[in-house]
Amino acid sequence: MPSEDKPIAWAAYAAENEKTSWADQVEEEETGGMDFPPSSEKVIGDIKTVIDYKLNKDDKKVKVIRKYKLEVKKTSKSVARRKLLKKFGLSKDDPSGPNKATTIISEEVMMQFMSNKEEELLQDQDDPTLSKFKHQLQYYMFFKNFKGTARDPSTEEPKKEEPEENAGAQSGAPGKYIPPSLRAGGSAAGSSMPSRGNRDEQATIRVTNLSEETKEPDLQELFKPFGPIQRIYLAKDKHTQQSKGFAFINFHNREDAAKAIKSVCGFGYDHLILNVEWAKPSTTN
DNA sequence: CATGAGCGC
């Protein structure tokens, strides 16, 4: 059954362009100069008709007509839905299907996804090059996604005492908790918190779900695109120095901290998804 | 899973 398992889109494309498919061409070559008419296939509605010529067991030429009912594969549902969308722009008057003048039909592209299991295997191999590469790739992806929102420290202006825009409220993240002192119009004065006269204390974020391999320099690399960092504290066991999997990042500017929360929360890092929130004031205060 | 540390009026 030739080309039955070919992608439907290709069959439809071949039919629309009244050409034989690649698979049929191969078959024609394989019949080796026999004067068979070329086989053909047509798609009408959801019925595909394939016309073939071949020798039967009595060495007689026969015409073989086969009809298939086409089914959209389960995995192609979204593709099928997309096909119903109207064309727009310069292509809005084109007939349905790919236009050869503007569209290249590529070969099937295989995507490779890494499961957690495989990542663990990679780590078990204890290959520092591989591990380093993985880290860099993840950081690169992160930076690509978020450099638009991150502040470039080299062009950083000196901090100004001006009323701050409320980054949290405009971030489109409703339900995110913002301490009262950070809300628009809020100020430390009048809050129930004992004032330490240090606004920078409010520019601290807590990062949880860090892998135990994460070190302070990693955190610095991760967060410095958002702005100058005042202090990094990675919680560790006092005796074993084992990371406890969470850390505090102290920015100079609250807005940078807000951007860091917005951008890094949910970011995959070292096989874990980071959680980033505003830090509560430390217990001793 | 999870909100740091030491200082010492």
Side-chain angles (χ1 to χ4, degrees):
Chain A
M1 288 196 266
S3 72
E4 196 189 22
D5 57 348
K6 288 273 155 208
I8 301 307
W10 168 237
Y13 169 69
E16 268 179 37
N17 289 271
E18 295 180 1
K19 277 186 181 169
T20 57
S21 75
W22 170 83
D24 289 335
Q25 284 176 17
V26 170
E27 282 207 345
E28 283 163 27
E29 286 158 18
E30 279 172 353
T31 55
M34 299 276 234
D35 52 346
F36 287 142
S39 60
S40 68
E41 46 177 82
K42 282 214 162 76
V43 178
I44 300 163
D46 59 350
I47 305 291
K48 179 169 86 167
T49 306
V50 180
I51 300 174
D52 260 332
Y53 300 88
K54 60 165 147 188
L55 296 175
N56 67 7
K57 53 184 175 231
D58 299 327
D59 267 0
K60 294 256 170 77
K61 251 188 258 183
V62 292
K63 182 175 178 182
V64 183
I65 301 177
R66 284 170 294 180
K67 293 193 176 191
Y68 303 99
K69 178 154 188 193
L70 295 181
E71 285 179 49
V72 175
K73 285 182 185 172
K74 273 181 193 167
T75 51
S76 304
K77 254 184 195 166
S78 56
V79 175
R81 223 176 292 128
R82 273 203 294 279
K83 284 179 111 175
L84 298 174
L85 298 175
K86 283 186 180 153
K87 297 196 178 190
F88 59 93
L90 294 176
S91 296
K92 81 173 141 60
D93 296 324
D94 283 5
S96 71
N99 175 355
K100 264 208 301 183
T102 57
T103 308
I104 295 168
I105 311 291
S106 78
E107 289 178 19
E108 205 169 330
V109 177
M110 302 306 288
M111 308 270 290
Q112 207 173 338
F113 295 99
M114 232 182 225
S115 74
N116 281 349
K117 230 174 192 174
E118 281 164 330
E119 282 193 30
E120 278 161 25
L121 280 177
L122 286 181
Q123 284 182 343
D124 287 345
Q125 286 170 4
D126 204 20
D127 181 341
T129 318
L130 214 49
S131 162
K132 181 91 181 166
F133 171 75
K134 204 154 58 76
H135 180 278
Q136 283 178 350
L137 177 66
Q138 288 180 334
Y139 181 67
Y140 169 73
M141 288 163 62
F142 153 76
F143 194 72
K144 249 188 102 160
N145 284 338
F146 299 115
K147 68 179 172 186
T149 62
R151 174 181 296 212
D152 181 355
S154 60
T155 62
E156 185 76 18
E157 290 174 22
K159 190 177 171 187
K160 282 184 220 154
E161 287 300 316
E162 61 186 6
E164 286 198 52
E165 49 185 285
N166 184 350
Q170 64 181 216
S171 73
K176 258 291 192 223
Y177 174 71
I178 296 156
S181 57
L182 294 182
R183 289 176 197 160
S187 84
S191 88
S192 58
M193 247 183 43
S195 174
R196 303 176 65 228
N198 185 3
R199 294 176 65 218
D200 291 339
E201 197 63 30
Q202 299 300 329
T204 304
I205 58 175
R206 182 188 58 147
V207 188
T208 57
N209 219 21
L210 290 163
S211 76
E212 291 181 346
E213 294 85 55
T214 308
K215 305 277 182 269
E216 280 99 338
D218 300 324
L219 293 169
Q220 198 179 40
E221 287 299 308
L222 183 59
F223 286 103
K224 75 178 179 194
F226 299 102
I229 294 169
Q230 195 170 70
R231 189 181 61 133
I232 289 180
Y233 180 86
L234 175 61
K236 284 179 274 202
D237 183 282
K238 204 187 269 184
H239 305 294
T240 69
Q241 302 290 78
Q242 254 276 323
S243 165
K244 291 206 262 191
F246 67 95
F248 297 93
I249 317 292
N250 226 309
F251 285 91
H252 277 92
N253 307 305
R254 292 204 303 261
E255 52 205 287
D256 294 334
K259 274 185 294 193
I261 292 174
K262 214 168 85 177
S263 303
V264 184
C265 190
F267 174 61
Y269 188 85
D270 259 6
H271 78 268
L272 293 175
I273 308 288
L274 296 186
N275 186 38
V276 188
E277 296 166 34
W278 289 108
K280 289 182 203 158
S282 107
T283 51
T284 52
N285 294 309

